[in-house]
Every structure is written in structure tokens, then in C-alpha cells.
Amino acid sequence: MSGSTMRAFVLTGPGEGSVQEVPVPVAAPGEVVVDVERVGVCGTDVELFTGELAYLHTGHSSYPLRPGHEWCGRVTQVGDGVDAAWLGRRVMGDTMLGDQECRPCRRGRQHVCEHRQEVGIRGDRPGALAEQLAVPAWSLHELPDPVDEVLGALVEPGGNAWRAAHAAEVEAGDRALVIGPGTIGLLTAMFLRAAGAEVHLLGVTEASLGFARELGFAGAWRRATLPDLPFDSVVDASTAAGSPALALDLVEPGGRLVCIGIAGTPSAVDTRTLLLKDVTAVGVLSGSPGLEPTIAAYASSAVDPRPLVAATVGLHRVAAVLAGERPEGAGPGPKVHVDPRLG
């Protein structure tokens, strides 16, 4: 960062992105500026890079844009009306920025506000793949000392997973199945395990299932090897269009089906089966309501997702990561982090 500009990764079109010098952010009234310390690369960022994200076709997002919504950092500037006590605090922030005026926002559901911005995704709100980031002060969550940079940048995806696990309503001794052993699926499995459930995972590749077993999930299966067991809850964390129907088939009568994965094409679910099995189905969009309990779980070590991070790279490697390149020396985990302070 030099004077009035800073380095940021900017997408300019499908498959086109580079590190650019952009103006440093200034804290508007009610906002803060954060020095970014760590950012997670997410599947949403990949879809922005490829041009496949639905928002690009509905007009909610457009190029050029700066991605990055799984972040943590330290507050270095506050705008008018913001308590100066925020200065120097380690924080992460909510991705979903509602207008604070509509009925959902007034009811604490800013993540479904029709007019929301999404940091690094929607509504021209620049993301965190940069040296600095400006966000509303009300969106901040302070990080306690036990939540380091790695964990801090895993709070946002963790909030999604916490909500999925919470929606499953498992009790000690219940059996749960998670379809899709990616970042969200593995995080969900960790929260389900912390709640006392016997957790199984269903996946496609032996590499992802083997990694799940390394995390202590012995019940990691392919479809052909999945044992005939009763599952009190099934969480679909995959992107396969047929997974919700499969989840409904696998869940026990009277059980719960949670959908947090999203496919690129519509998924068909037979509501007759849903009704006749008396299954409760829940959709999860955002981690917003789950950020505080996720921070608490990380701080207490009830859940430790650090092994999910395979590598940490600088901004200059972001385009390659978005294009699917695996960083040299990367571990087996599904997540790549970015440290904007690296060269």
C-alpha cells in the first residue's frame, strides 16, 4: 500500500482478473476501514470468476468487481458516528448488508433483505481481496484472542455450517448424514459431531472421503458403499441437482432435511414423499445468524477447522486459484486462504 492507492484483486470479466492499484477506502459515516489479514477463497468467488454466478445474469452483480467475503482483519479507521473503541480491534464481518429499513431487516433477518448488498458479491460492495476493506460498523464481530487469523477467516463459512447443523436439530445419540464433503459439508459435520451426533458423510471422490476420515469421520462413503442405516437428519451440502431428492429418500420418517448446497440447475423434490414421510425441510442461505455461536465454538475449541485450509497465498496467486490451480505444497484440505500482505 502506497499513499492513496492499495493493491486489490479485481475481476474484469469471465476468466479475467488481476492485481490492480485502486484507491484506498475511506470510512464513510457509520463505517470502518479494516486492514485485511486473511481471506478465504469460496465457491461463490469461483462462479464470479467463471461468469456462472446467477447474480451476474440478474443484474445484482457486474464487472468490474472485487471479490472476497470470508475475511478477518484489524480496524484502523472509523467514520463519523462510530465508536472509536473499535480502533485496533480484531474483527470479521457479516457478508449480508441489509438496508436496515425493510421488514426483514427490522426483524433481524438482513440476510434476506431484497435490497441487500453482499460484500464482494452483490450490489457494488467491494470485497476483501485487497489490503484494506470498508464495511458498516454494525456488521462487525469482534474476535477473541483464541480465534487466530486462520479461524477468523473461517467464521463466515462456519456460520453457514452452524446454521445447517442447528437446523438439523440433532441430539446426543442421533445419526446424521452430510452429503458433500467440501468446506461447508465438513464444517457442518464438525458442528453436528460437537452436538453429540454420530456423523456420516457421503461423497464422490476417494480423496475427499479420505480427508474426511483423517478428520475423524470414519463413516465416509460413496453411494455404492453407504450402509443401510437410519438417518435422523440429512444435510445436503453438495452442488448436485439430484442430491435433495436423494437426501429425502435417505432421511428417516419424521426426520429433518437441510439444504445448504445449491446446484446450477433446478432440483426436483417429490413433495408427496416429503409429506408422507412427515419430513421437515429447511433451506439455509447465509451464515449471518450463526456468526456469534461459530466464534464461540472456535474460541472454546469445540470445533477446530484449521485442517481444512490447504494453503495460504498472496494476491498474485488468486487468479490461478480461481482457475482451479492447486498451490504448490498444498495440504489435503479443500480451502485456500489469501494473505493480502504477502508479495
Side-chain angles (χ1 to χ4, degrees), residues 65-150:
L65 62 86
R66 183 200 309 161
H69 60 278
E70 303 176 358
W71 61 271
C72 68
R74 193 176 296 273
V75 177
T76 55
Q77 183 186 144
V78 298
D80 290 344
V82 178
D83 189 344
W86 278 111
L87 287 169
R89 291 186 184 179
R90 296 179 56 251
V91 297
M92 61 79 56
D94 198 339
T95 298
M96 306 300 218
L97 306 181
D99 63 16
Q100 302 291 283
E101 297 177 357
C102 66
R103 186 170 187 268
C105 283
R106 294 197 308 270
R107 295 165 68 89
R109 298 172 183 162
Q110 80 279 352
H111 59 291
V112 292
C113 169
E114 182 179 354
H115 306 292
R116 69 184 180 274
Q117 294 181 314
E118 297 180 20
V119 176
I121 303 172
R122 167 175 164 154
D124 297 321
R125 171 64 67 165
L129 282 171
E131 293 177 288
Q132 289 190 323
L133 172 72
V135 292
W138 64 259
S139 71
L140 299 177
H141 293 261
E142 187 170 7
L143 300 176
D145 289 342
V147 179
D148 60 15
E149 294 175 2
V150 177

Side-chain angles (χ1 to χ4, degrees), residues 78-266:
V78 298
D80 290 344
V82 178
D83 189 344
W86 278 111
L87 287 169
R89 291 186 184 179
R90 296 179 56 251
V91 297
M92 61 79 56
D94 198 339
T95 298
M96 306 300 218
L97 306 181
D99 63 16
Q100 302 291 283
E101 297 177 357
C102 66
R103 186 170 187 268
C105 283
R106 294 197 308 270
R107 295 165 68 89
R109 298 172 183 162
Q110 80 279 352
H111 59 291
V112 292
C113 169
E114 182 179 354
H115 306 292
R116 69 184 180 274
Q117 294 181 314
E118 297 180 20
V119 176
I121 303 172
R122 167 175 164 154
D124 297 321
R125 171 64 67 165
L129 282 171
E131 293 177 288
Q132 289 190 323
L133 172 72
V135 292
W138 64 259
S139 71
L140 299 177
H141 293 261
E142 187 170 7
L143 300 176
D145 289 342
V147 179
D148 60 15
E149 294 175 2
V150 177
L151 292 175
L154 286 167
V155 170
E156 197 278 343
N160 285 270
W162 180 90
R163 287 195 66 209
H166 184 69
E169 292 192 355
V170 296
E171 299 178 352
D174 283 355
R175 183 181 291 115
L177 175 68
V178 178
I179 301 176
T183 297
I184 297 297
L186 291 170
L187 281 165
T188 302
M190 290 178 177
F191 281 108
L192 289 167
R193 180 170 59 186
E198 175 191 323
V199 184
H200 294 251
L201 291 112
L202 180 61
V204 175
T205 69
E206 186 53 40
S208 64
L209 294 171
F211 179 63
R213 296 185 193 106
E214 290 179 15
L215 296 176
F217 297 104
W221 317 95
R222 292 182 177 177
R223 183 70 184 96
T225 61
L226 182 68
D228 184 15
L229 295 170
F231 295 106
D232 302 293
S233 299
V234 178
V235 178
D236 175 27
S238 79
T239 57
S243 285
L246 174 61
L248 180 57
D249 286 341
L250 293 173
V251 71
E252 277 287 277
R256 296 180 70 85
L257 164 61
V258 182
C259 294
I260 190 169
I262 187 166
T265 57

